[in-house]
Amino acid sequence: MVKNYVLDTNVLIHDPEAIYSFEDNNVFIPLPVIEELDKLKKEQGRVGKSARTAIRVLEELRNKGNLHDGVKLDSGGKIIIPVLSEGDFDRHQVKFLFEKYVDNWILSYAMFLKTTRTEPTIIVSKDISLRLKALALGLQAEDYLTDKSDLSLLPLGYVSVDSLKDLNVEKLYVNEYVESKEGFFRFNGQDFEQISLKSKVFGISPRNKEQLFALDALLEDDIKLVSLIGIAGTGKTFLALVAALQKTLVEGLYERIIVARPLIPMGGKDIGYLPGALEEKISPWMSGVMDNLEYLCRLNNVSLKEIMKKEIVELEALTYIRGRSIPNQFIIIDEAQNLTPLEVKTILTRAGEGTKVVLTGDPYQIDTPYLDESSNGLVYAASKFVGKSIAAHIFLKKGERSELASLAAELL
């Protein structure tokens, strides 16, 4: 049965091509949403870029027909930008839905469609508050589910058994790790490759089996994408830096290490608004990374200043990675849980020949309002790449920073 989906602005910011995700149903974009996109298009960073992309998508469809009447989509559905008169709103707007509040206008559009059309009407929004108000008004509302991945279904990346003989290899995926009485192994799709670290890696030894599995994936040249998920203190970023320094400084396999993270701006301002050079702007966000680098360099009698001077290590804001083609480099995307699936796709498609990408983060520590543990780019990418020969995923559970840090993460 055909349905009417009314999209909130945040859905188009999350995924500018969301209108193509509703199969043979009708997709309605209220005029206030277009106005919000028009205001947001001037912003720097991700929000402005998404707004501009969404507007371009609508413009391409406008050239194919009248959006007020509806333009056919390849999926069989229609995209419609309805224009309602004051009389329409007088009849269908609830009294408390004030004109200046865009969310309430969206609710009014949905109520108009519900009472004037026979198809079921559903509001799609990343905003929980809007969905709750819709429910109170007797409207159906749901989150944008197209790019969601169930975190609870994401495998740990390893299994534990008494013996390899007990394993059903048909249930294992490529690059899944195994703990057994015979030792530790990585399943390559056909056989079990035993893994062990006979010597320290850039002066560091793994403290638990999860860190051993993570280091093996990070050091394996044929694995081009590694996703490390875990709470604070499990060693995600630290291990990624250990492997990056080993592979770049010691083995010379990569030309450069790039460490980047999404910068969640204060007060809604993009990093471009901040005073100073790029290094000064990003230094507050990169202090933890620099602490780890200083420790590792001091441990191995290496000059961090010399490394930074030679630009062997580059600290970047993700804003400045988009649009680049990056070959032969070891890229660490820290705090990747704060990225949308589209942003992670943009980053991974920038990876050139010979480049390795590591995504690290904690999906339960998200700092952006319209992402959650199942809709963020880290979990989405990890889920999509499970079983691919060039990817590995490890869920780190045991904190190793300190007894206090581990207990705080558990209790608080």
Side-chain angles (χ1 to χ4, degrees), residues 1-5 22-26 117-122 140:
M1 183 180 183
V2 173
K3 301 179 180 68
N4 297 324
Y5 287 99
F22 294 90
E23 300 176 340
D24 59 348
N25 298 294
N26 298 321
R117 298 180 68 109
T118 58
E119 308 93 348
T121 297
I122 303 168
Q140 285 185 259

PDB file of all heavy atoms in Angstrom, residues 1-5 22-26 117-122 140:
ATOM      1  N   MET A   1       0.833  -1.202   0.000  1.00  0.00           N
ATOM      2  CA  MET A   1       0.000   0.000   0.000  1.00  0.00           C
ATOM      3  C   MET A   1       0.866   1.250   0.000  1.00  0.00           C
ATOM      4  O   MET A   1       1.825   1.357   0.776  1.00  0.00           O
ATOM      5  CB  MET A   1      -0.910   0.004   1.239  1.00  0.00           C
ATOM      6  CG  MET A   1      -1.855   1.178   1.292  1.00  0.00           C
ATOM      7  SD  MET A   1      -2.895   1.121   2.777  1.00  0.00           S
ATOM      8  CE  MET A   1      -3.914   2.549   2.483  1.00  0.00           C
ATOM      9  N   VAL A   2       0.550   2.206  -0.863  1.00  0.00           N
ATOM     10  CA  VAL A   2       1.316   3.443  -0.958  1.00  0.00           C
ATOM     11  C   VAL A   2       1.120   4.280   0.301  1.00  0.00           C
ATOM     12  O   VAL A   2       0.011   4.391   0.830  1.00  0.00           O
ATOM     13  CB  VAL A   2       0.894   4.248  -2.203  1.00  0.00           C
ATOM     14  CG1 VAL A   2       1.558   5.613  -2.222  1.00  0.00           C
ATOM     15  CG2 VAL A   2       1.241   3.474  -3.467  1.00  0.00           C
ATOM     16  N   LYS A   3       2.202   4.885   0.788  1.00  0.00           N
ATOM     17  CA  LYS A   3       2.153   5.731   1.982  1.00  0.00           C
ATOM     18  C   LYS A   3       2.657   7.132   1.638  1.00  0.00           C
ATOM     19  O   LYS A   3       3.385   7.321   0.649  1.00  0.00           O
ATOM     20  CB  LYS A   3       3.005   5.143   3.109  1.00  0.00           C
ATOM     21  CG  LYS A   3       2.595   3.752   3.549  1.00  0.00           C
ATOM     22  CD  LYS A   3       3.516   3.263   4.657  1.00  0.00           C
ATOM     23  CE  LYS A   3       3.134   1.859   5.127  1.00  0.00           C
ATOM     24  NZ  LYS A   3       3.384   0.840   4.109  1.00  0.00           N
ATOM     25  N   ASN A   4       2.300   8.100   2.457  1.00  0.00           N
ATOM     26  CA  ASN A   4       2.795   9.467   2.337  1.00  0.00           C
ATOM     27  C   ASN A   4       3.821   9.727   3.430  1.00  0.00           C
ATOM     28  O   ASN A   4       3.481   9.682   4.621  1.00  0.00           O
ATOM     29  CB  ASN A   4       1.647  10.474   2.471  1.00  0.00           C
ATOM     30  CG  ASN A   4       0.618  10.327   1.376  1.00  0.00           C
ATOM     31  OD1 ASN A   4       0.950  10.029   0.231  1.00  0.00           O
ATOM     32  ND2 ASN A   4      -0.657  10.528   1.723  1.00  0.00           N
ATOM     33  N   TYR A   5       5.070   9.977   3.051  1.00  0.00           N
ATOM     34  CA  TYR A   5       6.122  10.269   4.013  1.00  0.00           C
ATOM     35  C   TYR A   5       6.434  11.760   3.986  1.00  0.00           C
ATOM     36  O   TYR A   5       6.747  12.318   2.932  1.00  0.00           O
ATOM     37  CB  TYR A   5       7.384   9.471   3.702  1.00  0.00           C
ATOM     38  CG  TYR A   5       7.270   7.998   4.032  1.00  0.00           C
ATOM     39  CD1 TYR A   5       6.979   7.065   3.042  1.00  0.00           C
ATOM     40  CD2 TYR A   5       7.441   7.549   5.335  1.00  0.00           C
ATOM     41  CE1 TYR A   5       6.863   5.713   3.333  1.00  0.00           C
ATOM     42  CE2 TYR A   5       7.335   6.193   5.641  1.00  0.00           C
ATOM     43  CZ  TYR A   5       7.045   5.291   4.645  1.00  0.00           C
ATOM     44  OH  TYR A   5       6.938   3.950   4.938  1.00  0.00           O
ATOM     45  N   PHE A  22      12.535   5.661  -0.261  1.00  0.00           N
ATOM     46  CA  PHE A  22      11.185   5.320   0.182  1.00  0.00           C
ATOM     47  C   PHE A  22      10.396   4.507  -0.851  1.00  0.00           C
ATOM     48  O   PHE A  22       9.169   4.539  -0.884  1.00  0.00           O
ATOM     49  CB  PHE A  22      10.434   6.598   0.560  1.00  0.00           C
ATOM     50  CG  PHE A  22      11.019   7.283   1.770  1.00  0.00           C
ATOM     51  CD1 PHE A  22      12.010   8.225   1.630  1.00  0.00           C
ATOM     52  CD2 PHE A  22      10.599   6.939   3.041  1.00  0.00           C
ATOM     53  CE1 PHE A  22      12.573   8.846   2.735  1.00  0.00           C
ATOM     54  CE2 PHE A  22      11.147   7.545   4.156  1.00  0.00           C
ATOM     55  CZ  PHE A  22      12.140   8.504   4.003  1.00  0.00           C
ATOM     56  N   GLU A  23      11.119   3.808  -1.706  1.00  0.00           N
ATOM     57  CA  GLU A  23      10.534   2.868  -2.673  1.00  0.00           C
ATOM     58  C   GLU A  23       9.416   3.528  -3.482  1.00  0.00           C
ATOM     59  O   GLU A  23       9.618   4.617  -4.023  1.00  0.00           O
ATOM     60  CB  GLU A  23      10.059   1.601  -1.946  1.00  0.00           C
ATOM     61  CG  GLU A  23      11.195   0.893  -1.227  1.00  0.00           C
ATOM     62  CD  GLU A  23      10.755  -0.314  -0.425  1.00  0.00           C
ATOM     63  OE1 GLU A  23       9.556  -0.395  -0.103  1.00  0.00           O
ATOM     64  OE2 GLU A  23      11.610  -1.170  -0.137  1.00  0.00           O
ATOM     65  N   ASP A  24       8.237   2.888  -3.564  1.00  0.00           N
ATOM     66  CA  ASP A  24       7.186   3.402  -4.444  1.00  0.00           C
ATOM     67  C   ASP A  24       6.182   4.290  -3.707  1.00  0.00           C
ATOM     68  O   ASP A  24       5.025   4.420  -4.108  1.00  0.00           O
ATOM     69  CB  ASP A  24       6.450   2.239  -5.122  1.00  0.00           C
ATOM     70  CG  ASP A  24       5.805   1.286  -4.122  1.00  0.00           C
ATOM     71  OD1 ASP A  24       6.115   1.408  -2.915  1.00  0.00           O
ATOM     72  OD2 ASP A  24       5.011   0.433  -4.553  1.00  0.00           O
ATOM     73  N   ASN A  25       6.608   4.915  -2.615  1.00  0.00           N
ATOM     74  CA  ASN A  25       5.725   5.767  -1.821  1.00  0.00           C
ATOM     75  C   ASN A  25       5.873   7.244  -2.203  1.00  0.00           C
ATOM     76  O   ASN A  25       6.799   7.627  -2.925  1.00  0.00           O
ATOM     77  CB  ASN A  25       6.025   5.579  -0.333  1.00  0.00           C
ATOM     78  CG  ASN A  25       5.759   4.159   0.122  1.00  0.00           C
ATOM     79  OD1 ASN A  25       4.632   3.704   0.136  1.00  0.00           O
ATOM     80  ND2 ASN A  25       6.826   3.430   0.470  1.00  0.00           N
ATOM     81  N   ASN A  26       4.970   8.061  -1.689  1.00  0.00           N
ATOM     82  CA  ASN A  26       5.018   9.500  -1.922  1.00  0.00           C
ATOM     83  C   ASN A  26       5.874  10.173  -0.862  1.00  0.00           C
ATOM     84  O   ASN A  26       5.703   9.924   0.338  1.00  0.00           O
ATOM     85  CB  ASN A  26       3.607  10.098  -1.882  1.00  0.00           C
ATOM     86  CG  ASN A  26       2.705   9.531  -2.967  1.00  0.00           C
ATOM     87  OD1 ASN A  26       3.139   9.306  -4.090  1.00  0.00           O
ATOM     88  ND2 ASN A  26       1.442   9.288  -2.624  1.00  0.00           N
ATOM     89  N   ARG A 117      -6.066  13.068   2.357  1.00  0.00           N
ATOM     90  CA  ARG A 117      -5.658  11.993   1.445  1.00  0.00           C
ATOM     91  C   ARG A 117      -5.990  10.643   2.072  1.00  0.00           C
ATOM     92  O   ARG A 117      -6.053  10.506   3.304  1.00  0.00           O
ATOM     93  CB  ARG A 117      -4.165  12.098   1.105  1.00  0.00           C
ATOM     94  CG  ARG A 117      -3.799  13.412   0.384  1.00  0.00           C
ATOM     95  CD  ARG A 117      -2.311  13.455   0.067  1.00  0.00           C
ATOM     96  NE  ARG A 117      -1.947  12.468  -0.929  1.00  0.00           N
ATOM     97  CZ  ARG A 117      -1.603  12.754  -2.184  1.00  0.00           C
ATOM     98  NH1 ARG A 117      -1.617  13.997  -2.620  1.00  0.00           N
ATOM     99  NH2 ARG A 117      -1.242  11.790  -3.008  1.00  0.00           N
ATOM    100  N   THR A 118      -6.165   9.656   1.227  1.00  0.00           N
ATOM    101  CA  THR A 118      -6.557   8.336   1.719  1.00  0.00           C
ATOM    102  C   THR A 118      -5.365   7.495   2.188  1.00  0.00           C
ATOM    103  O   THR A 118      -5.531   6.575   2.994  1.00  0.00           O
ATOM    104  CB  THR A 118      -7.305   7.567   0.613  1.00  0.00           C
ATOM    105  OG1 THR A 118      -6.456   7.463  -0.554  1.00  0.00           O
ATOM    106  CG2 THR A 118      -8.594   8.279   0.240  1.00  0.00           C
ATOM    107  N   GLU A 119      -4.158   7.795   1.674  1.00  0.00           N
ATOM    108  CA  GLU A 119      -2.995   6.981   2.052  1.00  0.00           C
ATOM    109  C   GLU A 119      -2.557   7.315   3.488  1.00  0.00           C
ATOM    110  O   GLU A 119      -2.718   8.446   3.952  1.00  0.00           O
ATOM    111  CB  GLU A 119      -1.814   7.245   1.103  1.00  0.00           C
ATOM    112  CG  GLU A 119      -2.125   7.120  -0.376  1.00  0.00           C
ATOM    113  CD  GLU A 119      -2.513   8.465  -0.985  1.00  0.00           C
ATOM    114  OE1 GLU A 119      -2.760   9.429  -0.218  1.00  0.00           O
ATOM    115  OE2 GLU A 119      -2.557   8.553  -2.231  1.00  0.00           O
ATOM    116  N   PRO A 120      -1.965   6.350   4.190  1.00  0.00           N
ATOM    117  CA  PRO A 120      -1.410   6.621   5.521  1.00  0.00           C
ATOM    118  C   PRO A 120      -0.312   7.682   5.438  1.00  0.00           C
ATOM    119  O   PRO A 120       0.488   7.690   4.495  1.00  0.00           O
ATOM    120  CB  PRO A 120      -0.830   5.271   5.956  1.00  0.00           C
ATOM    121  CG  PRO A 120      -1.530   4.264   5.114  1.00  0.00           C
ATOM    122  CD  PRO A 120      -1.829   4.932   3.813  1.00  0.00           C
ATOM    123  N   THR A 121      -0.284   8.591   6.397  1.00  0.00           N
ATOM    124  CA  THR A 121       0.708   9.668   6.432  1.00  0.00           C
ATOM    125  C   THR A 121       1.663   9.445   7.595  1.00  0.00           C
ATOM    126  O   THR A 121       1.231   9.217   8.730  1.00  0.00           O
ATOM    127  CB  THR A 121       0.025  11.037   6.572  1.00  0.00           C
ATOM    128  OG1 THR A 121      -0.786  11.264   5.412  1.00  0.00           O
ATOM    129  CG2 THR A 121       1.056  12.156   6.690  1.00  0.00           C
ATOM    130  N   ILE A 122       2.961   9.541   7.311  1.00  0.00           N
ATOM    131  CA  ILE A 122       3.985   9.264   8.322  1.00  0.00           C
ATOM    132  C   ILE A 122       5.034  10.376   8.293  1.00  0.00           C
ATOM    133  O   ILE A 122       5.585  10.696   7.230  1.00  0.00           O
ATOM    134  CB  ILE A 122       4.675   7.908   8.061  1.00  0.00           C
ATOM    135  CG1 ILE A 122       3.641   6.775   8.029  1.00  0.00           C
ATOM    136  CG2 ILE A 122       5.751   7.634   9.110  1.00  0.00           C
ATOM    137  CD1 ILE A 122       4.185   5.462   7.504  1.00  0.00           C
ATOM    138  N   GLN A 140       1.390   9.312  12.818  1.00  0.00           N
ATOM    139  CA  GLN A 140       2.472   8.337  12.806  1.00  0.00           C
ATOM    140  C   GLN A 140       3.799   9.058  12.573  1.00  0.00           C
ATOM    141  O   GLN A 140       3.877   9.990  11.775  1.00  0.00           O
ATOM    142  CB  GLN A 140       2.261   7.314  11.683  1.00  0.00           C
ATOM    143  CG  GLN A 140       1.186   6.287  11.951  1.00  0.00           C
ATOM    144  CD  GLN A 140       1.135   5.256  10.843  1.00  0.00           C
ATOM    145  OE1 GLN A 140       0.283   5.326   9.968  1.00  0.00           O
ATOM    146  NE2 GLN A 140       2.050   4.306  10.886  1.00  0.00           N
TER     147      GLN A 140
END
